[in-house]
Amino acid sequence: MGIPKRLTEMQKRFAELLVFGGPEGPLSKSEAAEMAGYSPKRARVEGSELTNPRHAPLVVQYIGKLHEERLQKHEVTYAKHISELDRIKHAALKKNSFSAAVNAETNRGKAAGLYIDRKIIKTGKLEEMSEEELRMKRAKILEDYSALLNMKTVEGESQDVNESSLSSSHKKLEKPTSPKSE
């Protein structure tokens, strides 16, 4: 018995059911074989044989082709991603779901590279540092963030800052320092 030159309708149906699933979702080989029209008693054997390249190379090749088509259809590209997020945003705005619209727009910005998620991971433990190293570390932190630590907040109304305090704080900020990772 030679290799068949083309697929039968039942073989095509089996491959399509196996790749795309049925009305209830994904199917096993035996379920796909039974739904394709193979005998319920032999569905398990048929499912196994139809996915074996030695027994049914054309079916296996067709299954591979269907998998490729499915991947291309659902492929995520930058353009598709951005347009889908835009569609979601507009649908959310039509329903006055502003939170969902903001999330969609934020995600579009992240995909476009407008947001940078930066995390600093430091190794080492404070418990392993000597008291002197801890004092030096604390002094360095206080020095680096002194401008922020010395700020005063006023509840309620905003107040104008006078020139003398502005110029002294401006001098502090002329030479910005950044925390160094250790």
Side-chain angles (χ1 to χ4, degrees):
M1 181 173 160
I3 298 174
K5 297 188 185 215
R6 64 180 186 88
L7 295 173
T8 66
E9 287 303 314
M10 283 175 57
Q11 289 171 331
K12 286 181 183 178
R13 179 91 175 120
F14 167 78
E16 291 164 0
L17 286 167
L18 189 63
V19 172
F20 300 113
E24 303 294 318
L27 299 172
S28 68
K29 294 176 188 179
S30 58
E31 291 170 332
E34 194 172 333
M35 287 183 74
Y38 290 94
S39 164
K41 291 180 182 176
R42 286 199 32 89
R44 187 172 182 167
V45 173
E46 291 289 348
S48 178
E49 288 178 356
L50 288 169
T51 55
N52 185 332
R54 289 184 184 170
H55 289 107
L58 292 176
V59 176
V60 172
Q61 186 179 13
Y62 186 59
I63 289 170
K65 180 181 161 198
L66 291 176
H67 275 295
E68 279 299 314
E69 286 177 12
R70 184 176 180 201
L71 284 175
Q72 287 177 352
K73 178 182 175 187
H74 298 292
E75 179 184 31
V76 176
T77 63
Y78 178 76
K80 284 182 185 178
H81 181 65
I82 295 297
S83 64
E84 179 64 13
L85 287 170
D86 189 52
R87 186 192 65 74
I88 292 168
K89 179 186 79 171
H90 287 296
L93 285 173
K94 284 180 183 175
K95 293 182 178 181
N96 289 331
S97 180
F98 299 109
S99 176
V102 168
N103 285 336
E105 187 61 26
T106 302
N107 287 330
R108 281 182 62 206
K110 285 179 183 177
L114 299 176
Y115 297 93
I116 299 171
D117 188 17
R118 183 171 41 182
K119 295 178 181 156
I120 299 173
I121 300 171
K122 295 186 177 186
T123 58
K125 297 180 181 174
L126 293 175
E127 294 86 25
E128 295 173 358
M129 296 174 83
S130 69
E131 284 188 41
E132 183 58 33
E133 288 173 322
L134 285 170
R135 269 193 228 105
M136 289 172 45
K137 181 91 169 157
R138 183 177 180 270
K140 180 71 174 147
I141 291 170
L142 289 173
E143 179 186 325
D144 290 346
Y145 294 99
S146 64
L148 292 172
L149 295 171
N150 294 330
M151 293 178 77
K152 300 207 188 288
T153 57
V154 178
E155 292 286 324
E157 301 175 17
S158 64
Q159 297 179 350
D160 291 332
V161 178
N162 63 25
E163 286 297 317
S164 63
S165 68
L166 181 61
S167 63
S168 66
S169 63
H170 180 66
K171 287 177 187 173
K172 288 180 187 176
L173 295 176
E174 281 180 344
K175 223 179 196 180
T177 58
S178 62
K180 296 178 181 155
S181 26
E182 296 177 30

